[in-house]
Amino acid sequence: MAEKTLYQTAPVMRLFIAEHPFHYEMENLCRIFFPYHRIETISCGTDSEGTHMLDYGALGAYTGMQTESGGVRLQARLFYGGRERAAEQRTALSFPADIKELERRMGVLLFGLLTQACAYTPKWGILTGVRPIKLLRNLVDRMGLEAALCSFQGDWLVSAEKTELSRITMGNEQKILSLSRPESFSLYVSIPFCPTRCSYCSFVSSTVERTAKLIPQYLELLCVEVVRTAEVVKELGLRLESVYIGGGTPTTLSAEQLARLIDTITCAFDMSTCREFTVEAGRPDTITMDKLKAMRPRGVTRISINPQTLNDHVLETIGRRHTSAQTLEAFSLARTCGYDDINMDLIVGLPEDTLESFQRTLRQVLDLHPESITVHTLSLKRSARIFQDDSEPFSRDAALTGDMLDWGDAQLLHHGYAPYYLYRQSRMVGNLENTGWAKTGKESIYNVYIMDETHTILACGAGAVTKVRDPYSDQLKRIFNFKYPYEYISRHGEMLTRKEQVRTIYEEYRRAKQGLSSV
């Protein structure tokens, strides 16, 4: 018999759903407060059909919707700690005409019960989505800035400090979004290899220890895909705005391999309009003088050197086989080679990190004066080793993580950095956020475009997802590459055929635009 995973043996929270389609959002709200429980969603009848008989077990919730004469009745219940709490609201709204507003109100009811029971109020309120800035921008478009900010706090229950952070980020984002044209696109290239796998990582990446023999063939076929993608771009008359080589850890490649990949990109595409070329150097233990010298003369304008933390004990705990000294050495090497746009990633909420050790890390990073600093909140995906292995200690303290972010935000503002993009992931500690901070003029336009889904992202490599955006509407279609390097290699021809859909999708968008214009 197969051994059960930690997730399968995790404590269960039963979520009963009665006569409404909001189960996904209700699950996400419960997961904010009980992130290490397995949510078991069960359909049931409404209150009038005997919900008092529901078997909640040790922990459970109920959300129900009933259509009544003149409106809708919403109900929420929570059983926790041996006590049941209940809330309800009658409204003149109708279903399905007011489905979004009914979902929001149901969320507010359940959120209220959860905050009472857990004595904890998440700072993003009932927002569980990836792009809170996009929501705020839509609200501003509908009702103006002041009313939108009031709605963010009053209707969506976002705290005053997160509302202000969102306001500043939205303003800085808008300057970058305005640079995009209908014909604009960005290029993403995936290098799904790492020296070792970090315990918190959920990305599609393979350790070099296991897959080094795949790299030469992978790179060969990747260059073929890059060239084929450039041919499609030329036929469609698209304009390249930014290039991002990510992973994994792209600097896992040798200097010669990096040179070949970058030369392929710059020869295949018209680089005259490209505003930014980023290589995610990532792991300091993969950065060498030869690699740095191979990249910069070939047009790379921006790199990331990501310590995550400068606490060596924490680095060891999370499986980062490098030291803080190697991070400082890699940064110094990059400056020596002339790099003047360096980003550094940090993570709050890491196992065994404390407020004091995070403060030391950020102070050391600020002393280096990188052009941008991205502060991530730990996200515990089920595919991450740290989630699957209960022998590894990790912080479950959302309040501590929130304190780290609050202190960090204040320090970054004080040192002349401004937030320019912000996003969230599922299962983030405390339902908090990832924020990119940059000095004026050093914002990464790719980060904004990919997160806002502003324009098309053409993606090459294993695990990459092309997103073809209609320049005249919000419509977006995805084309998925094969996930793992061995699949990418063995089914490469099939994948290239699938990629031909880019042409077809653009033709559909253009026909739709012409059809609307003729009406």
Side-chain angles (χ1 to χ4, degrees):
M1 181 180 294
E3 187 175 339
K4 290 187 177 181
T5 67
L6 179 63
Y7 176 69
Q8 290 172 318
T9 59
V12 174
M13 179 179 188
R14 292 176 179 166
L15 173 61
F16 293 91
I17 301 292
E19 306 299 328
H20 68 79
F22 311 141
H23 62 92
Y24 179 74
E25 198 62 22
M26 299 307 109
E27 288 173 14
N28 284 339
L29 283 173
C30 290
R31 196 168 285 119
I32 293 172
F33 294 85
F34 300 99
Y36 307 100
H37 283 66
R38 178 164 56 89
I39 309 298
E40 182 181 322
T41 303
I42 305 165
S43 295
C44 69
T46 55
D47 183 62
S48 60
E49 297 172 330
T51 58
H52 59 283
M53 301 297 291
L54 294 176
D55 180 9
Y56 289 119
L59 172 64
Y62 163 88
T63 55
M65 181 175 72
Q66 289 177 281
T67 300
E68 300 180 328
S69 176
V72 170
R73 180 190 184 196
L74 302 174
Q75 288 183 303
R77 294 181 179 180
L78 177 69
F79 182 81
Y80 177 55
R83 174 184 172 187
E84 185 177 51
R85 293 172 168 83
E88 71 170 62
Q89 181 184 104
R90 283 181 164 85
T91 171
L93 297 173
S94 64
F95 180 83
D98 300 304
I99 185 170
K100 285 296 183 184
E101 177 60 14
L102 287 168
E103 181 180 53
R104 187 194 67 78
R105 293 192 185 197
M106 183 79 83
V108 169
L109 286 182
L110 181 58
F111 183 82
L113 299 181
L114 288 163
T115 56
Q116 291 170 28
C118 299
Y120 168 64
T121 304
K123 295 183 178 182
W124 284 100
I126 62 170
L127 294 187
T128 62
V130 172
R131 301 173 179 86
I133 307 303
K134 204 165 188 176
L135 171 62
L136 180 58
R137 190 183 307 116
N138 290 338
L139 292 173
V140 170
D141 290 342
R142 278 170 35 205
M143 59 182 69
L145 179 61
E146 291 306 316
L149 295 174
C150 289
S151 175
F152 222 48
Q153 292 188 65
D155 297 330
W156 299 92
L157 309 182
V158 180
S159 70
E161 59 266 40
K162 297 304 179 187
T163 299
E164 177 64 6
L165 175 65
S166 299
R167 182 191 68 79
I168 298 171
T169 305
M170 181 180 66
N172 291 328
E173 246 188 24
Q174 195 59 45
K175 301 169 190 174
I176 297 170
L177 296 177
S178 65
L179 298 174
S180 182
R181 304 180 182 186
E183 68 272 21
S184 291
F185 83 99
S186 291
L187 175 69
Y188 177 80
V189 180
S190 169
I191 305 297
F193 303 99
C194 283
T196 59
R197 187 176 180 89
C198 302
S199 61
Y200 56 79
C201 181
S202 63
F203 287 102
V204 178
S205 60
S206 304
T207 63
V208 171
E209 295 167 340
R210 297 174 58 187
T211 58
K213 62 183 180 182
L214 297 179
I215 292 178
Q217 190 178 5
Y218 177 84
L219 181 61
E220 183 79 28
L221 295 175
L222 177 61
C223 288
V224 170
E225 186 187 5
V226 166
V227 171
R228 186 73 63 87
T229 302
E231 291 169 357
V232 174
V233 164
K234 188 174 181 180
E235 289 177 23
L236 293 172
L238 303 181
R239 170 191 170 98
L240 180 62
E241 299 288 348
S242 64
V243 177
Y244 196 103
I245 302 180
T249 306
T251 41
T252 299
L253 301 182
S254 68
E256 294 75 17
Q257 290 168 334
L258 283 167
R260 181 183 177 193
L261 176 59
I262 295 167
D263 285 345
T264 300
I265 294 168
T266 55
C267 290
F269 289 91
D270 177 4
M271 303 297 293
S272 64
T273 59
C274 185
R275 304 173 189 271
E276 171 187 282
F277 193 139
T278 298
V279 173
E280 186 81 23
R283 290 275 294 256
D285 49 341
T286 66
I287 299 171
T288 65
M289 183 70 80
D290 286 348
K291 294 177 187 180
L292 291 168
K293 286 183 175 179
M295 294 188 293
R296 184 160 174 76
R298 289 178 162 81
V300 173
T301 61
R302 180 177 180 272
I303 62 171
S304 283
I305 299 173
N306 301 334
Q308 314 302 17
T309 176
L310 292 177
N311 182 324
D312 284 339
H313 172 65
V314 175
L315 286 171
E316 183 179 357
T317 299
I318 63 177
R320 298 273 288 193
R321 295 184 190 172
H322 66 82
T323 64
S324 55
Q326 285 176 289
T327 299
L328 302 178
E329 180 183 355
F331 191 92
S332 178
L333 274 180
R335 286 294 198 224
T336 300
C337 291
Y339 286 88
D340 59 1
D341 195 350
I342 302 176
N343 173 73
M344 303 189 83
D345 280 6
L346 301 177
I347 299 178
V348 297
L350 285 171
E352 301 194 26
D353 208 3
T354 65
L355 178 59
E356 292 73 22
S357 63
F358 171 72
Q359 290 172 338
R360 285 195 298 273
T361 288
L362 184 54
R363 288 191 184 104
Q364 286 179 273
V365 169
L366 288 169
D367 286 343
L368 297 173
H369 305 289
E371 283 65 39
S372 58
I373 299 172
T374 307
V375 183
H376 297 266
T377 299
L378 180 65
S379 176
L380 291 179
K381 302 293 183 68
R382 289 201 298 271
S383 58
R385 180 165 54 85
I386 198 172
F387 187 87
Q388 296 170 340
D389 184 357
D390 60 0
S391 68
E392 291 202 34
F394 54 84
S395 170
R396 301 184 178 191
D397 191 343
L400 171 61
T401 304
D403 289 344
M404 290 176 174
L405 275 182
D406 290 346
W407 185 87
D409 290 355
Q411 289 298 306
L412 288 160
L413 284 168
H414 177 72
H415 284 82
Y417 294 85
Y420 73 95
Y421 87 112
L422 184 154
Y423 70 102
R424 284 121 55 74
Q425 298 165 266
S426 62
R427 301 180 185 276
M428 296 179 81
V429 175
N431 195 39
L432 292 162
E433 74 276 358
N434 304 324
T435 306
W437 297 79
K439 295 179 179 178
T440 302
K442 294 298 184 178
E443 302 86 355
S444 169
I445 65 171
Y446 176 84
N447 284 336
V448 173
Y449 292 148
I450 185 68
M451 197 47 56
D452 185 73
E453 297 178 335
T454 309
H455 60 220
T456 291
I457 306 292
L458 297 179
C460 299
V465 181
T466 287
K467 299 179 181 181
V468 186
R469 165 72 190 267
D470 183 353
Y472 308 105
S473 75
D474 290 334
Q475 190 173 3
L476 184 146
K477 295 185 177 181
R478 292 172 171 82
I479 303 170
F480 295 87
N481 279 11
F482 291 115
K483 193 171 183 179
Y484 299 104
Y486 68 87
E487 281 183 299
Y488 181 86
I489 291 169
S490 64
R491 303 175 70 181
H492 193 260
E494 181 183 342
M495 189 203 64
L496 289 182
T497 300
R498 185 188 301 175
K499 206 69 169 286
E500 293 296 318
Q501 294 175 53
V502 173
R503 288 190 184 90
T504 306
I505 294 169
Y506 264 103
E507 288 168 3
E508 290 174 0
Y509 289 159
R510 288 170 178 172
R511 282 197 299 271
K513 175 69 164 54
Q514 290 168 358
L516 289 172
S517 300
S518 62
V519 173

